[in-house]
Amino acid sequence: MDPLLDSPPPETAQNGASFNERLKDKLRKSAFWASFMRQALSLGQKDLVDFMDLLLSPASKVLNKWFETDVLKATLATDAVIGSTASVHTPGSGYVLLHHVMGETDGERGIWSYVEGGMGSVSSAIANAARESGAHIVTSAEVSQLMIKDSDTVNGVLLADGTEVLSPIVLSNATPYKTFLELVPNNTLPDDFTRALKYSDYSSATTKINLAVDKLPQFQCCKLNHPDAGPQHVGTIHIGSESMEEIDLACQDAVNGVPSRRPVIEMTIPSVLDKTISPPGKHVINLFVQYTPYKPSDGSWGDSAYRESFAQKCFSLIEEYAPGFSSSIIGYDMLTPPDLEREIGLTGGNIFHGAMGLDSLFLMRPVKGWSSYRTPLQGLYLCGSGTHPGGGVMGAPGRNAAHVVLQDVEKP
């Protein structure tokens, strides 16, 4: 998978390209597919079939094949549904599982890491590197519209305060929907392109709850009586779903329009390792919760009582495993799908800028015919998770997009 992730998809050159550009495009595609075929052949037919089985199968089939214990399968299965509305029995969820476990940190494959200072430190590190290379970064400057000249060429961006920022090249890290259907002026894009974007899957059932607590949760299963941090507090802690069937039931609740009666909860306690994010003796706890429909049929996320009821449902579930948890809460912040959309610009609250189903990957991300980070507007490029290879803290979409821009800029 690594070569696929780290290179732009071999997209066909759009109409209007010169003869030389079309020739270079054919040579690049030929080289890509030749390399791909060599790797496929080196696998051998058995391993290649196993690989295809992993990509196309439901995660439940993959995990049933490899593991025996229900609680282990359920623990691994959450990586197949995280950030999505899918069930563990959804065909193609095996790829989502692979997507989440094939990453690496500091050369170690399949592990996750905490970032000292919180996830914002990743953005700060990238920003510092950019400044060192001469970049000028402006924040708190909302873009209200992309400026277009001659009906098909980007000319810069118009800020909400009326400032015009002129540029022949614009890269958008917003979702494809926000970029093209909210920031591009009406009647600028081809109808088939707009239609494909409009009906792409941006659904989400993810809610994030961040808590401040005055003590660490004490898990009954550990049978420990001391309050100090232990290995049980360091990794990802899975709460509630002890079998894949329970995950599927939680998913079906959302399909029926209501938040899961027994939510699927992944808990992390970064302050156990990172002493910079909480005062001594206090801790930060992050809960990644599923499944929560964008528009629940039994209430509204805009209703404070409804929100509080769901939060307490999550805390009560944790209480089953860690008695006394609720009384340790100093305060919390909850971000439902509409909150994620409003506050961060994630269309539908989808953390991947669009579903990661097999019909929305590689040459079909964000839409068929436009997977190369280029867009129907000359000079406008997409560089976020809505492009290949999708979501996750890896930077691959931006890196790939940057290479495409450089390639276009260097054209004679």
Side-chain angles (χ1 to χ4, degrees):
M1 291 297 295
D2 286 346
L4 290 181
L5 301 182
D6 287 333
S7 59
E11 186 60 80
T12 302
Q14 296 297 324
N15 293 334
S18 68
F19 174 79
N20 283 342
E21 287 172 349
R22 291 199 304 272
L23 182 60
K24 287 180 181 178
D25 175 67
K26 286 186 177 181
L27 290 173
R28 274 195 298 269
K29 282 192 297 184
S30 298
F32 178 93
W33 289 117
S35 173
F36 183 80
M37 290 305 296
R38 280 196 301 272
Q39 290 167 17
L41 290 171
S42 69
L43 277 177
Q45 181 166 315
K46 180 185 181 301
D47 286 347
L48 186 60
V49 171
D50 285 343
F51 178 58
M52 295 304 296
D53 187 36
L54 175 60
L55 290 186
L56 301 173
S57 295
S60 54
K61 177 183 174 184
V62 175
L63 294 168
N64 280 327
K65 176 181 175 182
W66 281 92
F67 303 102
E68 298 175 359
T69 310
D70 282 342
V71 70
L72 175 58
K73 287 187 280 191
T75 300
L76 295 169
T78 57
D79 275 338
V81 299
I82 193 167
S84 76
T85 56
S87 161
V88 290
H89 301 313
T90 302
S93 56
Y95 170 75
V96 181
L97 173 62
L98 172 64
H99 187 86
H100 282 95
V101 301
M102 68 182 170
E104 62 181 58
T105 302
D106 289 337
E108 290 194 54
R109 178 75 72 178
I111 68 166
W112 297 73
S113 297
Y114 294 118
V115 181
E116 188 173 70
M119 289 302 294
S121 295
V122 176
S123 303
S124 297
I126 295 171
N128 290 338
R131 288 192 184 100
E132 288 173 9
S133 297
H136 178 62
I137 299 174
V138 180
T139 58
S140 302
E142 181 185 354
V143 174
S144 63
Q145 193 176 64
L146 283 156
M147 298 191 299
I148 311 298
K149 68 175 183 179
D150 302 330
S151 76
D152 65 351
T153 303
V154 74
N155 192 34
V157 295
L158 176 67
L159 303 187
D161 66 2
T163 303
E164 292 185 354
V165 183
L166 299 177
S167 175
I169 294 174
V170 174
L171 291 98
S172 174
N173 192 38
T175 70
Y177 187 97
K178 187 167 188 66
T179 300
F180 296 111
L181 301 183
E182 295 182 14
L183 297 179
V184 171
N186 292 334
N187 304 316
T188 304
L189 297 163
D191 288 343
D192 56 345
F193 179 80
T194 305
R195 192 179 306 111
L197 282 168
K198 184 177 180 181
Y199 294 107
S200 293
D201 183 5
Y202 294 99
S203 59
S204 169
T206 298
T207 287
K208 184 80 183 295
I209 305 178
N210 304 307
L211 302 103
V213 297
D214 60 16
K215 63 180 180 182
L216 288 169
Q218 298 300 308
F219 299 104
Q220 287 185 109
C221 60
C222 295
K223 298 181 173 61
L224 300 174
N225 295 317
H226 58 79
D228 299 334
Q232 71 274 21
H233 296 113
V234 175
T236 304
I237 302 153
H238 297 255
I239 302 287
S241 297
E242 298 185 15
S243 70
M244 291 193 290
E245 285 65 35
E246 287 186 61
I247 296 176
D248 184 55
L249 286 172
C251 177
Q252 291 309 311
D253 285 338
V255 170
N256 293 327
V258 297
S260 302
R261 284 167 288 185
R262 285 182 66 84
V264 179
I265 300 175
E266 290 192 36
M267 173 193 288
T268 54
I269 315 176
S271 53
V272 169
L273 295 176
D274 182 1
K275 305 304 180 185
T276 69
I277 59 175
S278 63
K282 306 293 192 291
H283 286 279
V284 171
I285 292 179
N286 304 134
L287 304 180
F288 203 96
V289 184
Q290 292 188 204
Y291 294 83
T292 50
Y294 184 93
K295 289 183 179 178
S297 60
D298 62 343
S300 167
W301 295 120
D303 179 352
S304 57
Y306 186 83
R307 294 171 68 91
E308 177 68 17
S309 172
F310 181 76
Q312 291 303 325
K313 181 190 294 185
C314 295
F315 303 155
S316 297
L317 183 55
I318 296 170
E319 189 95 16
E320 292 180 22
Y321 296 87
F325 176 77
S326 295
S327 63
S328 72
I329 298 172
I330 299 170
Y332 74 89
D333 170 50
M334 185 164 80
L335 294 167
T336 64
D339 299 324
L340 292 168
E341 181 175 68
R342 183 181 62 257
E343 295 188 24
I344 309 175
L346 298 175
T347 303
N350 190 294
I351 62 171
F352 301 129
H353 290 201
M356 294 280 288
L358 291 179
D359 61 336
S360 305
L361 295 175
F362 195 44
L363 286 164
M364 293 176 285
R365 191 170 189 88
V367 295
K368 186 172 64 174
W370 295 98
S371 65
S372 66
Y373 312 98
R374 300 177 182 94
T375 73
L377 297 174
Q378 188 174 335
L380 176 62
Y381 299 80
L382 278 184
C383 62
S385 296
T387 60
H388 172 75
V393 184
M394 57 178 163
R399 179 179 178 275
N400 291 347
H403 280 291
V404 168
V405 173
L406 289 172
Q407 180 184 307
D408 289 352
V409 168
E410 291 166 1
K411 285 178 182 175

